[in-house]
Amino acid sequence: MKGTILGRGFISGEDGERYSYHPSEIQNLQGRDPQALSGVRVDFEASADENGKKVAKAIFITMGAMLKFDFTNINSDDIMGVRLKMLISMLLYLFTFIPFAGILFLIIAVILEFISISRLNQLAGSQTLFRNWIISMLISIFVGGTVAIIAFFDIAIRIIRIMSESIGGASVLVVFGIAVGIFWFKYTYNYYNELSKLSSKRLFFYAFCTKVAGVLLCLTYVGFIVGVPLYYISIILIIAAWWQFREIHTSSYQRVETN
């Protein structure tokens, strides 16, 4: 019989019935996480246990089992809806380098990310996830806006030069820059660290490390060539992590099912 895995332990058969199963019955996991197969199409042998309960045996993941975007979930408030919006958001971040259109992509990406993290914060019952993200994002927007002003308005460059000419002005700039950097690192680290724990996906933490390396390298003339690619690699890692995100692991290590 053909069917679809609904979540941990259950398959919806084409006959309209639900069958329970054990991960050991899946014949071709091939490195997949047995706890993250929601929505995967399978073939299986319909059977029953000694109590008459319907069970699935000899389960085989079919060729059409590659995970796909299901846009019907985009307005959903469950984990799958959050996941889909975040995947779209991260994909849009990859195209923010495009002149003019990139600004629109950036705005849409930030809005989708705002909605998704806010909802994930509620689903996980977290007191800090959304707060850490919003502070990290505000600092990033502030720094990005400042860099844009310096790049496009000569008056800003003149002000920086005037301040840099005095020892006191230079000290203020250095101290302010270090303070902003420390705050950004703290809240960004807390966000990715918590996200890594909630999803049980270390890819989020690796993405954070790659992003930090890219940002630090961008501060140097030589490292800029390597820093920008590292930043985009971090986004790709985040996309891969969200692609694998299927359930929330709460602080009490209880699991919130996607279905």
Side-chain angles (χ1 to χ4, degrees), residues 131-195:
R131 182 197 67 189
N132 291 330
W133 176 82
I134 199 71
I135 293 176
S136 173
M137 181 59 68
L138 288 175
I139 293 175
S140 299
I141 292 173
F142 170 77
V143 173
T146 301
V147 171
I149 291 174
I150 292 175
F152 290 103
F153 296 97
D154 185 60
I155 185 174
I157 297 178
R158 291 179 180 179
I159 293 175
I160 296 296
R161 287 176 178 173
I162 293 173
M163 293 185 66
S164 299
E165 288 176 358
S166 64
I167 298 177
S171 299
V172 170
L173 287 177
V174 171
V175 172
F176 180 74
I178 293 175
V180 171
I182 291 174
F183 272 97
W184 178 83
F185 180 88
K186 173 185 176 181
Y187 287 101
T188 305
Y189 167 80
N190 290 339
Y191 165 68
Y192 280 104
N193 186 51
E194 184 173 0
L195 194 58

Side-chain angles (χ1 to χ4, degrees), residues 3-248:
T4 304
I5 295 180
L6 298 176
R8 281 198 309 156
F10 289 97
I11 293 175
S12 175
E14 287 191 337
D15 60 352
E17 298 290 337
R18 291 191 177 186
Y19 296 81
S20 62
Y21 75 96
H22 191 275
S24 62
E25 291 290 340
I26 302 176
Q27 307 297 307
N28 61 333
L29 275 175
Q30 298 177 342
R32 296 181 177 89
D33 182 355
Q35 310 300 338
L37 297 175
S38 178
V40 167
R41 295 285 296 173
V42 295
D43 288 335
F44 66 95
E45 295 179 5
S47 184
D49 60 15
E50 60 272 15
N51 297 319
K53 183 179 179 181
K54 295 181 181 295
V55 295
K57 300 286 187 179
I59 304 167
F60 190 88
I61 298 176
T62 64
M63 293 298 292
M66 291 297 292
L67 297 174
K68 300 177 181 179
F69 283 112
D70 183 359
F71 287 98
T72 60
N73 289 326
I74 194 167
N75 292 322
S76 174
D77 287 332
D78 61 7
I79 301 172
M80 299 306 288
V82 169
R83 168 181 170 270
L84 178 57
K85 285 190 281 286
M86 282 302 300
L87 283 171
I88 296 174
S89 175
M90 292 300 112
L91 287 171
L92 289 174
Y93 275 122
L94 291 175
F95 298 98
T96 54
F97 68 91
I98 300 176
F100 304 110
I103 298 176
L104 178 60
F105 290 151
L106 177 62
I107 294 173
I108 297 174
V110 171
I111 292 174
L112 286 175
E113 192 173 5
F114 177 91
I115 296 172
S116 301
I117 300 304
S118 175
R119 180 55 184 164
L120 181 60
N121 191 79
Q122 296 174 356
L123 290 172
S126 173
Q127 303 297 319
T128 56
L129 183 68
F130 182 70
R131 182 197 67 189
N132 291 330
W133 176 82
I134 199 71
I135 293 176
S136 173
M137 181 59 68
L138 288 175
I139 293 175
S140 299
I141 292 173
F142 170 77
V143 173
T146 301
V147 171
I149 291 174
I150 292 175
F152 290 103
F153 296 97
D154 185 60
I155 185 174
I157 297 178
R158 291 179 180 179
I159 293 175
I160 296 296
R161 287 176 178 173
I162 293 173
M163 293 185 66
S164 299
E165 288 176 358
S166 64
I167 298 177
S171 299
V172 170
L173 287 177
V174 171
V175 172
F176 180 74
I178 293 175
V180 171
I182 291 174
F183 272 97
W184 178 83
F185 180 88
K186 173 185 176 181
Y187 287 101
T188 305
Y189 167 80
N190 290 339
Y191 165 68
Y192 280 104
N193 186 51
E194 184 173 0
L195 194 58
S196 179
K197 291 179 179 178
L198 287 175
S199 64
S200 189
K201 304 299 178 186
R202 293 293 292 173
L203 274 175
F204 282 113
F205 185 74
Y206 300 149
F208 163 74
C209 294
T210 307
K211 178 181 287 189
V212 170
V215 170
L216 291 177
L217 285 172
C218 283
L219 297 178
T220 65
Y221 289 107
V222 178
F224 186 82
I225 300 175
V226 180
V228 172
L230 278 178
Y231 175 78
Y232 281 98
I233 288 174
S234 73
I235 296 178
I236 293 173
L237 290 175
I238 295 172
I239 291 174
W242 278 105
W243 185 265
Q244 299 175 18
F245 200 159
R246 289 290 183 275
E247 58 186 7
I248 296 174

